[in-house]
Amino acid sequence: MAGRLNDDFLRRAERSIVGGVNSPVRAFRAVGIPPLFAVRGKGPYIYDADGRRYIDHLMSWGAIILGHAPPAVEAAIVRATRRGTAYGLSTPIEAELAEVIKSAFPSIELLRLVNSGTEAVMSAVRLARGYTGRSKVVKFEGCYHGHSDGLLARAGSGLATFGLPDSAGVLPSFAAETLVARYNDLESVRAICDEQGDKIACILVEPVAGNMGVVPARPDFLAGLRQACDRIGALLIFDEVITGFRVAWGGAQELYGIRADLTTLGKIIGGGLPVGAFGGRREIMERLAPLGDVYQAGTLAGNPVVASAGKAVLELLRKDKPYEALNLAAERLTQAVAASADSAGMPVWIGRVGSMFTVFFTEGPVTDYESARRANPELYADFFRAMLGSNARVERSEGVLLPPSQWEAAFLGTAHLRNDIVETTAAHAAAALEALRPPDGPVPRPSRARGAI
Ligand code: PMP
């Protein structure tokens, strides 16, 4: 709930920073309240400027999986920082992080570290074009791959939140190189491949969609994309910026048993610091400069503080293997939310894979962008505010922070596995859903609230 200091920080930020935010969804426009300013986090909790505590299910948009300020990561960052923060030369830690990533992703023989997910995907697409000598990219409606020109065509995430079909400033000639197919619809892919197969450099996909809300890929969908790429000689790029080290140690590729030609990573591999990576088959990656003719570079790429933080996180994940526990906790939470929605007569559809999930305010099924867009963003905004505790009908001192948009993913991390956090979130959700029940009027027909895995 925004209070005095939050409001002061916002007014100050608005004087110098566009819209007061450095990334549009942070403005909370879709949920109708002023944005929160975070000042601190510990474990599963995030604290706003007015000292309110929230159970955090935004988790830096999936970038942190161990919770806030885990001691091992803090220690790694401090140790690295004491030796200097940047050299512009290679450092030993970069290969150490790369080796851990390779050990999790058998499809990655060589990789390169970059500074963001946007950069990773942009570079992977350039490499795919350079390698194949072809120009077109197939992407899917509602998938988001960062904000590079050409990939903003019918993208999810902030564009879905703000209802923008595409961004101004992207030249039509750029966007024309992007062919948009329908998620979970192999027919739409086949039609594009039949028509333009010899011009297609790559098929780019979120193997679990997170940016139209969580929409699991049907297993035959990903296998079909693999076959389509093999048939037309295009590269299959899995954008695992969210799913990498999230849905399984080896990402969606491990979960679904599909090998991508190129993989993009971000978020978790930087331990909460800015990062991205792309990698894949040796013969493709060797086309990158300095070995090959596809140029890509970065002053701060592979930064030693970032790589130290990322390696600390991945080593803990490798040691503790929390994925089954995360999956079970998220299943417990989403089943409880579905049951509460049923008893409050609120039709919801829950999309979930492992520890990423979305409560869609629609009867569903939600299988692609079109069905995701049928969800009711006003109901979601009410739910968001009630969870936060800024709804007059739900009064309490502690809130729950969800993503501030219907079309984004919520997350559970290892810090949520302790101390009944999941049960507390579920109890808050039950109260929030109950508060959404129309005060008068007939009780709506109970839905088949569903949890999909
Ligand atoms: N790909 C996917 C699947 C993403 O979810 C995101 C960001 N949420 C990106 C790429 C872009 O990453 P970044 O914001 O680090 O540029």
Side-chain angles (χ1 to χ4, degrees), residues 57 104 123 159 175 187-188 237 278 281 302-303 308 343 395 399 416:
H57 288 290
S123 307
L159 287 98
E187 256 324 299
S188 71
I237 306 181
F278 63 106
R281 290 206 330 258
N303 176 274
S308 300
S343 63
E395 280 292 332
H416 295 99

Side-chain angles (χ1 to χ4, degrees), residues 23 60-62 115-121 143-147 157 204-211 239-243 264-267 274-276 408 411:
S23 196
S60 188
W61 304 88
N115 301 301
S116 68
T118 296
E119 220 186 305
V121 186
C143 284
Y144 178 70
H145 302 288
H147 62 93
S157 191
L204 169 63
V205 68
E206 282 182 77
V208 172
N211 286 292
D239 182 349
E240 300 229 37
V241 166
I242 291 181
T243 55
T264 58
L265 296 164
K267 300 200 192 248
V275 81
E408 300 281 3
F411 297 97

Side-chain angles (χ1 to χ4, degrees), residues 98-99 102 105-112 127-128 130-131 235-236 259-263 278-294:
E99 281 161 16
K102 277 177 45 170
F105 283 80
S107 68
I108 299 181
E109 292 171 341
L110 284 175
L111 63 82
R112 184 154 281 169
L127 178 59
Y131 177 79
L235 300 185
L236 179 61
R259 230 178 146 95
D261 298 306
L262 292 175
T263 301
F278 63 106
R281 290 206 330 258
R282 173 177 293 277
E283 59 163 325
I284 304 170
M285 291 302 292
E286 284 182 343
R287 287 291 295 271
L288 273 186
L291 301 182
D293 54 354
V294 176

Side-chain angles (χ1 to χ4, degrees), residues 12 15 46 53 67 71 100 113 116 128 130-131 142 177 219 223-224 226 241 328 406 434:
R12 181 172 182 179
R15 285 198 288 274
I46 188 168
R53 185 174 89 162
V100 187
L113 298 172
S116 68
Y131 177 79
E177 299 298 334
R226 179 68 273 172
V241 166
L328 289 174
Q406 170 68 95
E434 196 50 47

Side-chain angles (χ1 to χ4, degrees), residues 2-9 11 50:
R4 199 177 58 77
L5 282 176
N6 267 299
D7 292 348
D8 289 351
F9 282 130
R11 271 194 298 278
D50 290 302

Side-chain angles (χ1 to χ4, degrees), residues 87-374:
Y87 313 104
L89 294 178
S90 293
T91 54
I93 186 76
E94 294 161 62
E96 291 174 30
L97 176 61
E99 281 161 16
V100 187
I101 294 172
K102 277 177 45 170
S103 75
F105 283 80
S107 68
I108 299 181
E109 292 171 341
L110 284 175
L111 63 82
R112 184 154 281 169
L113 298 172
V114 294
N115 301 301
S116 68
T118 296
E119 220 186 305
V121 186
M122 181 188 82
S123 307
V125 167
R126 180 184 303 152
L127 178 59
R129 285 179 165 141
Y131 177 79
T132 59
R134 299 172 177 185
S135 66
K136 307 270 186 208
V137 173
V138 177
K139 80 173 280 292
F140 295 88
E141 210 178 3
C143 284
Y144 178 70
H145 302 288
H147 62 93
S148 64
D149 286 359
L151 297 181
L152 283 180
R154 282 187 266 166
S157 191
L159 287 98
T161 303
F162 297 113
L164 301 173
D166 295 302
S167 168
V170 173
L171 301 178
S173 55
F174 267 67
E177 299 298 334
T178 308
L179 309 170
V180 182
R182 208 169 143 147
Y183 202 75
N184 274 328
D185 180 353
L186 284 174
E187 256 324 299
S188 71
V189 177
R190 213 164 285 137
I192 289 173
C193 290
D194 286 350
E195 205 178 293
Q196 317 219 37
D198 60 350
K199 300 192 190 69
I200 295 171
C202 57
I203 297 182
L204 169 63
V205 68
E206 282 182 77
V208 172
N211 286 292
M212 51 178 132
V214 174
V215 178
R218 296 193 183 112
D220 69 317
F221 176 61
L222 296 177
L225 296 185
R226 179 68 273 172
Q227 281 163 12
C229 283
D230 293 345
R231 175 165 73 91
I232 63 172
L235 300 185
L236 179 61
I237 306 181
F238 271 13
D239 182 349
E240 300 229 37
V241 166
I242 291 181
T243 55
F245 299 97
R246 162 67 58 186
V247 296
W249 165 248
Q253 290 177 62
E254 177 186 317
L255 197 66
Y256 286 89
I258 308 277
R259 230 178 146 95
D261 298 306
L262 292 175
T263 301
T264 58
L265 296 164
K267 300 200 192 248
I268 289 174
I269 64 162
L273 299 183
V275 81
F278 63 106
R281 290 206 330 258
R282 173 177 293 277
E283 59 163 325
I284 304 170
M285 291 302 292
E286 284 182 343
R287 287 291 295 271
L288 273 186
L291 301 182
D293 54 354
V294 176
Y295 196 68
Q296 182 279 328
T299 299
L300 293 173
N303 176 274
V305 181
V306 177
S308 300
K311 190 185 156 223
V313 171
L314 299 192
E315 278 185 341
L316 272 177
L317 291 175
R318 176 153 65 182
K319 180 166 76 62
D320 294 345
K321 298 190 183 63
Y323 295 100
E324 189 51 30
L326 284 171
N327 186 44
L328 289 174
E331 182 178 39
R332 219 165 66 237
L333 174 59
T334 50
Q335 280 179 354
V337 172
S340 301
D342 269 354
S343 63
M346 293 298 306
V348 302
W349 176 272
I350 298 176
R352 180 180 76 82
V353 176
S355 58
M356 55 193 281
F357 64 95
T358 298
V359 181
F360 290 100
F361 283 83
T362 173
E363 281 183 33
V366 176
T367 56
D368 57 14
Y369 191 52
E370 198 184 311
S371 47
R373 293 296 293 182
R374 279 189 215 119

